[in-house]
C-alpha cells in the first residue's frame, strides 16, 4: 500500500525541516510504501530539501504558489460554502501580525490590513493545501501547532477533507524516570486522540500499584512546577522572554533590510517597521510605569472567599487559537466580575512576562471593579487560598487540579476532556456555573475527585511519546506516527482517498 505523509514546514524554518526529514526516514523504515512530501513557505527551503535528495515533485512552495495566482480574483465566499464549520474570520483573528484582538493597544506593533488582503491571503493558503490533497492524497499531515495563520488553516482544511493531522507538541510534564516527553495533538486545540482514548479505556477500573507510582511522580512535578519547562530549558531558552524590547534590536539594520525584501502576500509576518519601533518604545515605557500596579493585595490579606483568574501572556496561540472569543481578557474579567456570587472576590494575577504589554489604564480599570483585586504573589500560593481557579487555556488549570480545586476554563485545550474541568463558552451561563460550584457546592467528594484526577493524569502519561521533539528524538516520533496511523481504521490507500 502506498501511503503519502505530508510534512508542513512553517515558522520553524530549517530546524523544523531537519526534524521532519528524520521523522520521515523513521516512518519509511517502520512501514513499507510510506512516502514523504513537503509543503514549505520559501524557495530557499525547497533548495535545502533538494540538496538533501528530495525531488521537486515531492515539494510544494507557498511562495511560488502565491506568485502563480496573482492574476486570479479572490472568491472568499467559496471558502464559506466549502468550509461552513471553519469560521475563517476567527482563524484570521488568530494571526498576531495584523490583528490586535488581545487588546494590547500598540504593544505588539500589528500592521493595519484591509479585509481584501486578509481574504485573499486565507484563500491562497487554503487553495495551496487543497492542491496538495489533490496531488498527493495524503494519509496524514504532520505540522506544528497553530501558532501562525499558515498552520492554523491546515487544521480546518484537513478536517473538512478527512485527513488525519499530527501536530508535534512538547510535553511540559512526564514520568520522572523518563525525564522527557511530547505528544501528537490532533486538532487546533492541542487535543490528543491517544490521551482521550486512554481516558475512555481506563474508565473506572482499579489502578495498579505501578500506575499509582507513575501518577504520584507526575503530581510531584506539577506541585513543584516553576513555570519553566524542561523542554525549553534544554533548548537553552524559555517559552517567553522577559525582555520587553525585541531581540532583533541588536541586528536592526539587517533585520529591516531582510524584512523589506519580503513579499507580504506570501510571508504575511512581514512587519511594519514604524509600528514595531513604536511598540518597542511603548513596551519599555509600560514596563517601567505599570509594575507598581501589579500588587494591590498581599497574599496574607486575600479574602476568605475568593476565586483566581490567571491572566495569559499575549499574543499567543493559547488565546488566539484556543480561546479567540475571549482573547480580550479585560472584557472577560468584567464578565467574571458580573457573574461572581455575592460575598466572593475575584483575584486577578497578571502573567509575569505580560507586564509591560498592557496600558496602565487596564490594570486600574480591573482594580476599580468593586469585587476584583489584583495580586502579584506566586500563583500556586494564591491557588491554595482560593476556592476556584479560572483560566482561558492555561497550565494553571492542571496545577489547580493537583491542589484539589474546582477549575473553570473558557477555551479549549489538551486537558479539556478531563471531567473535573468545567468549560464555559457562554458568558450568560457563568453565574449559574459559579453558583453551583461555590454556593451549592455541587462538587465531587474528595475520594471521587482523587479517582477522577488520577484517571486523567494516567491518560495524559499514556498519550506521551517518551522523548522530546528534538532532532535526536525525531526517529521516535516517526515510529510513533506510523504505529498510530496503522491503528486507525480510517487509513486508506492513496488512490482510494475521497476526491475533492
Amino acid at each position: 500500500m502506498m501511503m503519502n505523509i505530508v510534512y508542513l514546514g512553517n515558522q520553524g524554518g530549517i530546524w523544523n525541516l531537519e526534524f521532519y526529514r528524520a521523522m520521515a526516514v523513521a516512518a519509511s523504515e517502520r512501514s513499507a510504501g510510506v512516502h514523504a512530501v513537503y509543503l514549505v513557505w520559501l524557495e530557499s527551503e525547497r533548495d535545502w530539501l533538494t540538496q538533501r535528495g528530495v525531488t521537486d515533485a515531492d515539494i510544494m512552495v507557498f511562495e511560488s504558489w502565491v506568485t502563480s495566482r496573482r492574476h486570479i480574483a479572490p472568491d472568499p465566499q467559496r471558502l464559506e460554502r466549502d468550509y461552513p464549520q471553519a469560521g475563517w474570520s476567527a482563524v484570521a483573528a488568530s494571526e498576531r501580525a495584523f490583528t490586535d484582538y488581545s487588546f494590547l493597544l500598540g504593544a505588539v506593533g500589528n500592521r493595519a490590513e484591509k479585509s481584501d488582503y486578509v481574504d485573499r491571503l486565507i484563500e491562497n493558503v487554503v487553495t495551496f493545501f487543497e492542491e496538495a490533497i489533490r496531488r498527493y492524497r495524503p494519509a496524514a499531515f504532520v505540522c506544528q501547532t497553530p501558532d501562525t495563520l499558515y498552520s492554523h488553516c491546515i487544521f480546518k482544511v484537513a478536517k473538512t477533507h478527512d485527513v488525519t493531522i499530527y501536530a508535534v507538541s512538547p510535553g511540559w510534564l512526564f514520568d520522572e524516570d523518563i525525564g522527557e516527553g511530547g505528544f501528537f495533538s490532533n486538532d487546533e486545540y492541542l487535543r490528543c486522540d491517544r490521551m482521550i482514548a486512554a481516558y475512555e479505556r481506563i474508565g473506572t477500573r482499579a489502578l495498579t500499584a505501578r500506575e499509582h507510582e507513575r501518577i504520584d511522580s507526575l503530581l510531584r512535578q506539577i506541585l513543584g512546577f516553576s513555570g519553566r519547562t524542561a523542554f525549553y530549558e534544554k533548548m537553552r531558552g524559555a517559552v517567553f522572554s522577559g525582555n520587553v524590547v525585541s531581540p532583533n534590536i541588536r541586528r536592526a539594520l539587517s533585520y529591516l533590510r531582510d524584512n523589506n525584501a519580503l513579499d507580504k502576500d506570501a510571508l504575511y509576518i512581514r512587519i511594519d517597521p514604524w509600528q514595531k519601533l513604536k511598540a518597542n518604545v511603548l513596551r519599555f515605557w509600560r514596563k517601567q510605569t505599570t509594575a507598581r500596579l501589579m500588587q494591590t493585595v498581599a497574599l496574607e490579606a486575600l479574602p476568605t472567599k475568593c476565586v483566581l483568574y490567571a491572566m495569559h501572556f499575549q499574543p499567543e496561540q493559547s488565546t488566539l487559537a484556543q480561546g479567540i472569543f475571549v482573547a480580550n481578557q479585560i472584557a472577560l474579567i468584567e464578565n467574571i466580575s458580573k457573574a461572581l456570587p455575592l460575598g466572593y472576590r475575584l483575584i486577578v494575577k497578571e502573567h509575569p512576562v505580560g507586564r509591560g504589554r498592557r496600558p496602565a489604564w487596564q490594570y486600574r480599570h480591573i482594580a476599580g471593579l468593586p469585587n476584583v483585586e489584583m495580586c502579584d504573589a506566586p500563583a500556586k500560593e494564591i491557588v491554595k487560598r482560593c476556592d476556584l481557579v479560572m483560566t482561558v487555556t492555561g497550565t494553571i488549570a492542571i496545577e489547580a487540579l493537583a491542589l484539589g480545586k474546582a477549575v473553570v476554563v473558557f477555551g479549549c485545550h489538551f486537558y479539556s476532556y478531563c471531567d473535573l474541568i468545567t468549560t464555559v463558552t457562554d458568558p450568560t451561563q457563568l453565574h449559574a456555573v459559579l453558583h453551583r460550584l461555590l454556593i451549592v457546592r455541587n462538587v465531587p467528594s474528595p475520594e471521587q475527585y482523587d479517582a477522577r484526577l488520577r484517571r486523567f493524569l494516567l491518560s495524559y502519561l499514556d498519550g506521551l511519546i517518551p522523548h522530546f521533539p528534538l532532532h535526536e528524538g525525531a526517529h521516535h516520533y516517526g515510529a510513533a506516527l506510523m504505529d498510530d496511523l496503522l491503528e486507525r481504521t480510517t487509513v486508506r490507500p492513496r488512490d482510494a482517498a475521497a476526491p475533492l
Side-chain angles (χ1 to χ4, degrees), residues 173-180 210 213-222 224 461 464:
L173 297 164
F174 27 77
D175 279 324
E176 284 181 343
D177 54 352
I178 294 173
E180 56 184 59
R210 175 55 187 151
E213 288 176 4
R214 295 177 67 202
I215 295 165
D216 289 338
S217 164
L218 185 58
L219 282 168
R220 285 193 295 271
Q221 280 194 70
I222 296 170
L461 290 171
L464 290 180

Side-chain angles (χ1 to χ4, degrees), residues 325-326 331-332 334-336 338-339 410 424-434:
F325 291 101
V326 286
L332 177 58
E334 288 181 344
N335 283 335
I336 298 171
K338 297 168 190 173
F410 299 98
V424 175
T425 57
D426 181 351
T428 64
Q429 300 303 312
L430 183 56
H431 175 263
V433 169
L434 295 179

Side-chain angles (χ1 to χ4, degrees), residues 163-217:
V163 181
T164 305
I165 196 161
Y166 295 87
V168 180
S169 309
W172 66 288
L173 297 164
F174 27 77
D175 279 324
E176 284 181 343
D177 54 352
I178 294 173
E180 56 184 59
F183 61 97
F184 287 125
S185 53
N186 302 107
D187 67 13
E188 61 268 43
Y189 305 107
L190 306 190
R191 290 180 296 197
C192 172
D193 290 348
R194 288 180 63 84
M195 291 180 189
I196 296 170
Y199 190 71
E200 296 301 320
R201 188 170 59 249
I202 294 166
T204 58
R205 70 168 174 81
L207 304 184
T208 67
R210 175 55 187 151
E211 288 172 335
H212 279 298
E213 288 176 4
R214 295 177 67 202
I215 295 165
D216 289 338
S217 164

Side-chain angles (χ1 to χ4, degrees), residues 11 77 132 150 188 227 247 289 486:
Q11 204 165 332
Q77 289 303 304
Y150 189 68
E188 61 268 43
T289 58
L486 295 173

Side-chain angles (χ1 to χ4, degrees), residues 423-468:
T423 300
V424 175
T425 57
D426 181 351
T428 64
Q429 300 303 312
L430 183 56
H431 175 263
V433 169
L434 295 179
H435 182 85
R436 172 173 61 83
L437 296 174
L438 296 172
I439 306 301
V440 180
R441 295 285 177 175
N442 184 4
V443 295
S445 68
E447 295 77 16
Q448 292 171 329
Y449 191 102
D450 183 68
R452 289 155 70 175
L453 174 62
R454 286 176 173 272
R455 176 189 178 192
F456 163 68
L457 293 177
L458 182 60
S459 70
Y460 169 82
L461 290 171
D462 285 350
L464 290 180
I465 300 165
H467 303 275
F468 280 142

